[in-house]
Amino acid sequence: MSTHQTQVVIVGGGPSGLLLSQLLHRKGISSIVLEKHTRAHVLGRIRAGVLEHGFVNLMREAGCGARMDREGEIHEGFHIAHQGQLDRIDLAKHTGGDTVMVYGQTEVTRDLYEARDAMSGVVIHEAQNVQPHALTEARPFVTWEQDGEAQRAECDFIVGADGFHGVSRKSIPSDVLKEYEKVYPFGWLGVLSETPPVSEELIYARHERGFALCSLRSRTLSRYYIQVPLTDRVEDWSDAAFWQELKRRLPDEVAAGLQTGPSIEKSIAPLRSFVAEPMRYGNLFLAGDAAHIVPPTGAKGLNLAASDIYYLYHGFLDHYLKGDSAGLDAYSEKALARVWKAERFSWWMTNLLHRAPEGSETDLRLQRADLDYLFSSDAAQASLAENYVGLPY
Ligand code: FAS
Ligand code: PHB
């Protein structure tokens, strides 16, 4: 068995794990990232598209913001289509100038990998059977297999950034871990197409046939979603059927301008609200999707991972550079306080815009009243805007 020594072992080479590793390395704190898939597999995922300004600043602090600033788009608002009309939420006006950056998670991950390479960061791919050990001991360790060879890394701390299906959360004893979950009775069918976006800004559509979203990755790469029943499978949806249904859920003048084309990626994602508490057990910290999931309606998933990493990064800095562990000791409580606010916002925005399959006429009228109130009240729009651009860290 090969034995490695490091300060922090990070399980998971997605955006959470890579960002933390990069931030720590720039401050002289060593880490090893263990990723079970290949780099190509990780970069093949099409996921988030909207970055809060807090995440944007963190990418810049990590020295990974150059391409994002060059190729990303600053958005000052977005639209909500409902009852055949298009109403705009002016993010900048309601937040004193805060905005969001439209830049795909795939590109974020690519930038993080390139930065890790440039610093010769240790990111181990195809690490099999990763297993955290001795979580409550002073010197925990992680084992895994690499090309059939047993490996071990001894460290001070382990960060579980291994997503919803990872091993880290499951390493916390069941009498310690408490999980909260709400599963929504519908999913999102997403399509990526090499077509010009239908709109300069994002359009969230509430329609009696179901929710739709018009987003983008660039001026030549569009990302669209429609709400589908949980029973639907990707193979049930031809490209033609998708485009037809999307058009039916958009205002006529928007649908008329929609440029369709072949899907280069098509997938169905389930929607759930999920939180695991606590986000620390002994010397194991959970971060990102390993600890929480939100329905993507509020564009919070990736952005919550960023605030977890921000808190952990500063906690490790204080611990290693000042001998002060207060930040690490407060991590779980501090991260969960922001997580739950984002869960609430994502749940609210999902209920505002989706057609509940079992919803009653009363539910529909209440939903319409919520939208009528939203667009009749600056205070309501300011509340939506401050959540959408990202609550303070
Ligand atoms: P990730 O899941 O991205 O990364 C975890 C990594 O750990 C993966 O690379 C995995 O291979 C690895 N791993 C897992 N188990 C392991 C083990 N045992 N050993 C080693 N490695 C292991 N968010 C938005 O804001 N907007 C969206 O539109 C959006 N769409 C999404 C669509 C889908 C289909 C999914 C699944 C998520 C979506 N999200 C969206 C949320 C998503 O962006 C996450 O918030 C983001 O990927 C979180 O990053 P990580 O915490 O790094 O987790
Ligand atoms: C996306 O572009 O993938 C996207 C944008 C906003 C959301 C969800 C997904 O709320």
Side-chain angles (χ1 to χ4, degrees):
M1 175 183 297
S2 306
T3 299
H4 312 254
Q5 301 292 331
T6 189
Q7 290 169 300
V8 182
V9 170
I10 299 169
V11 185
S16 296
L18 294 169
L19 178 56
L20 179 61
S21 175
Q22 175 68 7
L23 285 163
L24 293 177
H25 197 168
R26 286 167 60 92
K27 295 293 184 184
I29 299 169
S30 67
S31 66
I32 292 175
V33 176
L34 299 174
E35 166 54 49
K36 77 175 182 182
H37 288 299
T38 63
R39 178 183 291 206
H41 181 97
V42 176
L43 288 173
R45 295 178 183 136
I46 306 295
R47 290 189 176 168
V50 172
L51 309 183
E52 294 175 351
H53 58 96
F55 191 0
V56 169
N57 292 333
L58 206 51
M59 284 288 282
R60 291 169 181 153
E61 180 171 354
C64 303
R67 191 162 72 98
M68 175 190 70
D69 286 326
R70 202 170 50 245
E71 297 177 12
E73 282 190 5
I74 299 286
H75 280 217
E76 297 189 353
F78 65 85
H79 298 267
I80 292 180
H82 61 111
Q83 290 144 6
Q85 63 195 61
L86 211 51
D87 285 313
R88 184 168 186 265
I89 297 288
D90 188 335
L91 298 172
K93 168 188 159 191
H94 291 297
T95 62
D98 283 340
T99 58
V100 292
M101 170 85 79
V102 172
Y103 187 68
Q105 175 171 328
T106 309
E107 305 319 313
V108 165
T109 309
R110 192 188 316 282
D111 295 340
L112 288 167
Y113 266 128
E114 285 173 8
R116 293 283 64 216
D117 293 345
M119 291 187 74
S120 305
V122 181
V123 181
I124 296 172
H125 286 95
E126 298 183 278
Q128 298 309 311
N129 303 319
V130 173
Q131 189 58 52
H133 301 274
L135 299 180
T136 56
E137 308 293 319
R139 194 84 178 139
F141 63 97
V142 178
T143 56
W144 72 97
E145 283 119 45
Q146 196 77 33
D147 305 325
E149 287 285 305
Q151 305 284 332
R152 176 187 170 110
E154 296 174 352
C155 54
D156 299 327
F157 302 102
I158 301 168
V159 174
D162 46 353
F164 185 65
H165 301 289
V167 66
S168 300
R169 185 176 70 249
K170 297 165 189 152
S171 304
I172 298 179
S174 56
D175 61 343
V176 172
L177 191 71
K178 181 148 181 56
E179 297 180 334
Y180 302 83
E181 185 168 51
K182 172 186 280 295
V183 178
Y184 296 86
F186 39 76
W188 279 18
L189 167 61
V191 158
L192 191 67
S193 61
E194 287 173 338
T195 54
V198 72
S199 165
E200 288 292 314
E201 296 180 325
L202 271 66
I203 299 176
Y204 290 82
R206 173 202 176 259
H207 191 277
E208 60 189 15
R209 296 179 64 84
F211 168 82
L213 171 60
C214 302
S215 185
L216 62 136
R217 293 293 178 271
S218 70
R219 287 292 117 205
T220 57
L221 194 59
S222 298
R223 182 69 169 164
Y224 295 105
Y225 298 93
I226 57 171
Q227 171 189 343
V228 292
L230 277 177
T231 48
D232 277 16
R233 296 162 307 147
V234 179
E235 47 270 29
D236 298 338
W237 286 88
S238 67
D239 286 1
F242 175 84
W243 294 120
Q244 183 185 42
E245 187 58 38
L246 176 62
K247 285 181 178 177
R248 295 179 75 169
R249 300 185 186 187
L250 297 173
D252 293 344
E253 74 275 15
V254 176
L258 182 69
Q259 286 199 45
T260 66
S263 60
I264 56 175
E265 192 272 350
K266 184 158 53 176
S267 55
I268 293 181
L271 271 65
R272 78 176 78 238
S273 300
F274 173 84
V275 179
E277 295 186 356
M279 289 175 60
R280 176 184 189 177
Y281 175 71
N283 289 315
L284 170 70
F285 297 90
L286 300 181
D289 277 19
H292 41 72
I293 299 287
V294 285
T297 323
K300 292 295 150 219
L302 179 59
N303 291 299
L304 269 182
S307 48
D308 291 348
I309 295 310
Y310 174 87
Y311 298 136
L312 270 180
Y313 165 54
H314 285 279
F316 283 129
L317 282 192
D318 290 349
H319 171 82
Y320 282 112
L321 306 188
K322 299 178 186 170
D324 175 359
S325 295
L328 291 178
D329 294 342
Y331 167 71
S332 180
E333 186 178 352
K334 192 170 179 70
L336 283 168
R338 191 173 191 272
V339 163
W340 276 110
K341 293 188 186 81
E343 292 282 350
R344 179 212 65 84
F345 173 69
S346 304
W347 161 81
W348 172 78
M349 203 158 161
T350 299
N351 285 318
L352 179 73
L353 298 171
H354 288 72
R355 176 73 191 257
E358 305 302 320
S360 64
E361 275 305 303
T362 307
D363 293 325
L364 285 174
R365 293 305 298 269
L366 287 168
Q367 193 180 56
R368 275 179 54 184
D370 212 347
L371 277 163
D372 291 346
Y373 167 61
L374 175 63
F375 288 109
S376 65
S377 160
D378 268 358
Q381 289 172 51
S383 171
L384 194 169
E386 73 172 10
N387 279 279
Y388 195 85
V389 300
L391 295 178
Y393 282 7

